Amino acid sequence: MAEAQLFVSHDEFTCSVCLDTLTDPVAIPCGHNFCLKCLTDCWDQSQVCSCPQCRHTFMLSPSLKRNNLLNEVIKKLKKTTLSPPPPQNYAGSGDMECDICTGEKFRAVKSCLTCPASYCQTHLQPHYEGDALKHHKLVDPDRNLKEKLCEKHQKSLEIFCKTDDSCICMMCGVTEHKNHEMVELETEREEKQVSDV
């Protein structure tokens, strides 16, 4: 079974006192999280116990206990997501370049058939995080993106017209090929691979 991917921002696990990743995280009644040491230091220097973030004041000092679940999540994320991204390589001869980088370009790690463009690791992130882009079709870096676009509509070729024996886009499917026999491009590819065997 495929694992679901969760994309989180480093800011979601940052203490607003020390501005670093939470260490021994504690949650206080207003719902904000802080490092245990940061919060106790803050309250030791003040006459009142108030949230350093929203300034909510507590009549009695809340009991502070480490949030074990949040602590484990942060440990796991430090090993993966929150660790610095792998060093980016500048595109060398034979490498696909990122279409977004300016100046010296990084090596592309994915191409988007919907955009159509190729992206380095940094510029690819919005495709994982943004709702508008996360449904785009990403493939390994591809020099021939233009060949995978309909010349007329500049849309991705996703349909195979069996009647005309050609790859077409969705717009062509509802206009010029309206009553033709059509299948998804992947379906046709699989059928041809099976018949070639």
Side-chain angles (χ1 to χ4, degrees):
M1 181 188 265
E3 278 187 26
Q5 290 188 2
L6 174 66
F7 296 98
V8 292
S9 165
H10 186 280
D11 296 340
E12 294 175 66
F13 299 99
T14 300
C15 172
S16 62
V17 175
C18 67
L19 303 177
D20 203 355
T21 304
L22 290 165
T23 305
D24 293 328
V26 292
I28 55 178
C30 61
H32 293 112
N33 296 294
F34 303 94
C35 299
L36 176 61
K37 184 177 180 346
C38 292
L39 191 60
T40 53
D41 288 351
C42 189
W43 286 355
D44 286 347
Q45 297 170 10
S46 173
Q47 301 292 328
V48 204
C49 291
S50 65
C51 172
Q53 194 163 339
C54 70
R55 302 291 178 220
H56 178 86
T57 304
F58 305 102
M59 299 304 256
L60 298 171
S61 175
S63 167
L64 301 177
K65 293 185 178 99
R66 185 171 80 173
N67 182 330
N68 291 323
L69 177 62
L70 184 56
N71 193 49
E72 288 304 311
V73 168
I74 291 169
K75 279 183 187 176
K76 287 178 182 172
L77 288 172
K78 278 183 179 177
K79 291 178 185 173
T80 57
T81 328
L82 296 180
S83 58
Q88 299 225 36
N89 297 328
Y90 286 105
S93 62
D95 287 334
M96 280 283 301
E97 292 182 342
C98 173
D99 291 323
I100 308 302
C101 288
T102 55
E104 197 166 356
K105 295 184 176 258
F106 285 120
R107 181 176 49 83
V109 294
K110 289 285 180 189
S111 293
C112 177
L113 296 178
T114 313
C115 289
S118 297
Y119 300 97
C120 66
Q121 191 64 48
T122 301
H123 290 121
L124 183 65
Q125 280 310 113
H127 277 79
Y128 293 129
E129 296 168 357
D131 288 338
L133 302 176
K134 67 180 167 188
H135 299 292
H136 285 193
K137 183 162 174 123
L138 297 174
V139 295
D140 288 333
D142 191 340
R143 293 185 188 285
N144 305 317
L145 281 181
K146 299 230 184 287
E147 293 173 13
K148 295 181 178 174
L149 293 179
C150 170
E151 289 181 18
K152 185 173 184 178
H153 301 108
Q154 293 303 302
K155 300 278 185 197
S156 181
L157 299 172
E158 299 174 343
I159 301 172
F160 184 77
C161 175
K162 289 188 170 223
T163 308
D164 291 339
D165 195 33
S166 63
C167 299
I168 59 172
C169 74
M170 295 288 253
M171 290 297 294
C172 287
V174 296
T175 56
E176 301 151 33
H177 300 259
K178 194 173 185 176
N179 296 317
H180 293 186
E181 183 184 355
M182 295 176 275
V183 294
E184 286 184 8
L185 202 53
E186 289 298 317
T187 305
E188 181 65 17
R189 183 177 294 123
E190 288 169 8
E191 285 177 13
K192 285 197 178 196
Q193 285 174 345
V194 169
S195 66
D196 289 345
V197 174

